[in-house]
Amino acid sequence: MTEPVRILPATDAAIAEAAALLCAGQLVAFPTETVYGLGGDATDDRAVAAIFAAKGRPSFNPLISHLPDVEKARELAVFTPLAETLAAAFWPGPLTLVLSRRPDCPVSHLACAGLDTIALRVPAHPVARRLLEAVGRPVVAPSANPSGRVSPTSAQHVAEGLSGRLALVLDGGPCAIGLESTVVDATGDRPVLLRPGGVTLEALEQVAGPVITPERDPDAPSSPGQLASHYAPALPVRLNATDVKPDEALLGFGPTLPGAAVTLNLSDSGDLQEAAANLFAMLRRLDRPGLAGIAVMTLPETGLGHAINDRLRRASAPR
Ligand code: AMP
Ligand code: MG
């Protein structure tokens, strides 16, 4: 058994300690409004390599650099007019922009998987913002879970997956959004959706006009890290269930089907925001030995449903 990792409530003292650990090249998990991130100094090749090792993440899957504000982000990448528009509308918040690296960008090339682009985000969570201010350097922070598994939306989830592989977890309670950020390539004059997430397609289009998506434009560039199987519990996942077997767990949405061994409802009232916030925690709770699988009811493809269905499709993909 590995020692359980130290979890500290995110007080001023704990945030200061976390910042000092990050500056010393250690890994610290912290809450954001999307999911808990496994943070490391983005300018330190060894810290970045330690993140890939701790998660078992393939090194072709680049990491997002987190900044406390847009001014700091502009120091790392070339901001197009489109990027300025999107940053003004959605930062701080669950939007990641992929932009061209500046020649003097100090972020580790390993963090960018050797690409000449970089993914940037200014998170909204107050603990994340205070931590980033205190560190004073960009912090890479992929979800704080073993690669391919269900993302963490609480400090406890982080400890379950990564104990022994990081120095500290800052506990800021459950994540309000519960889905990863939306990733948009903003190097051109039209946004290209690389990953659906906490900012909806509808909200993007309102601000920036038509978005290029892989569904509408089969030739759209795709993000290097969009693996088919991801976010996966140990049990097999079956989508669009219209019935359920007595040895299956049911993940419901709205009025649920009868007859499952155990049922959790993403949202009784069919609210997609509530469903997003519940998704990963409920997948974890249903992932119990002795069951045959997890049956999932259909969710609409609108608003946050787009990102929730993306995660569920990857959770159910052949492994
Ligand atoms: P995660 O850290 O797990 O939230 O995943 C980060 C996502 O951002 C992955 O889907 C990456 O492929 C994507 N990403 C990061 N950097 C880049 C980049 N330079 N170009 C395209 N996609 C990127
Ligand atoms: Mg992840």
Side-chain angles (χ1 to χ4, degrees), residues 35-38 55 57 141-146 149 151-152 162 180 230-231:
V35 302
Y36 274 70
L38 178 62
K55 285 180 58 75
R57 176 167 169 132
S143 55
N145 58 299
R149 310 319 296 246
S151 300
L162 292 182
E180 292 80 358
H230 210 82
Y231 314 105

Side-chain angles (χ1 to χ4, degrees), residues 7-312:
I7 301 179
L8 290 179
T11 59
D12 288 347
I15 292 172
E17 181 179 350
L21 286 166
L22 285 169
C23 289
Q26 302 278 305
L27 307 188
V28 171
F30 60 95
T32 81
E33 70 278 21
T34 60
V35 302
Y36 274 70
L38 178 62
D41 177 350
T43 67
D44 179 342
D45 286 318
R46 284 168 58 184
V48 174
I51 289 183
F52 282 102
K55 285 180 58 75
R57 176 167 169 132
S59 59
F60 57 75
N61 188 357
L63 305 175
I64 299 168
S65 292
H66 294 74
L67 293 311
D69 52 53
V70 67
E71 288 76 26
K72 285 276 187 292
R74 286 196 196 99
E75 292 172 10
L76 305 181
V78 180
F79 269 63
T80 58
L82 172 63
E84 291 292 353
T85 302
L86 291 171
F90 298 109
W91 280 357
L95 179 70
T96 295
L97 297 177
V98 171
L99 296 169
S100 297
R101 278 174 71 114
R102 285 195 177 283
D104 58 350
C105 174
V107 170
S108 155
H109 286 281
L110 178 59
C112 296
L115 302 166
D116 53 13
T117 52
I118 184 167
L120 302 177
R121 181 163 95 90
V122 175
H125 195 294
V127 172
R129 303 197 72 187
R130 279 152 66 204
L131 180 65
L132 293 169
E133 295 276 3
V135 172
R137 303 175 198 170
V139 170
V140 280
S143 55
N145 58 299
S147 184
R149 310 319 296 246
V150 180
S151 300
T153 54
S154 73
Q156 204 48 51
H157 294 162
V158 178
E160 282 162 22
L162 292 182
S163 276
R165 304 184 197 180
L166 74 174
L168 178 68
V169 184
L170 285 180
D171 188 350
C175 301
I177 294 177
L179 286 177
E180 292 80 358
S181 60
T182 301
V183 182
V184 169
D185 179 331
T187 54
D189 50 17
R190 274 183 68 190
V192 180
L193 184 70
L194 299 179
R195 174 177 75 185
V199 169
T200 65
L201 196 52
E202 292 87 337
L204 284 175
E205 300 209 305
Q206 241 178 15
V207 166
V211 173
I212 298 170
T213 76
E215 292 103 84
R216 298 171 192 165
D217 315 78
D219 302 330
S222 77
S223 206
Q226 286 291 75
L227 304 175
S229 173
H230 210 82
Y231 314 105
L235 289 176
V237 174
R238 176 167 78 84
L239 301 185
N240 299 316
T242 51
D243 58 13
V244 60
K245 302 184 189 73
D247 59 352
E248 282 183 317
L250 179 68
L251 187 62
F253 181 73
T256 54
L257 301 165
V262 45
T263 297
L264 290 175
N265 199 336
L266 288 168
S267 169
D268 291 320
S269 63
D271 176 49
L272 287 168
Q273 205 169 324
E274 184 184 11
N278 281 330
L279 177 68
F280 291 135
M282 287 188 172
L283 277 175
R284 284 166 182 269
R285 282 165 59 197
L286 293 177
D287 195 15
R288 300 181 192 175
L291 294 176
I294 303 174
V296 185
M297 290 173 62
T298 302
L299 283 88
E301 233 358 283
T302 54
L304 285 175
H306 187 223
I308 298 172
N309 285 326
D310 170 77
R311 305 301 186 269
L312 287 169

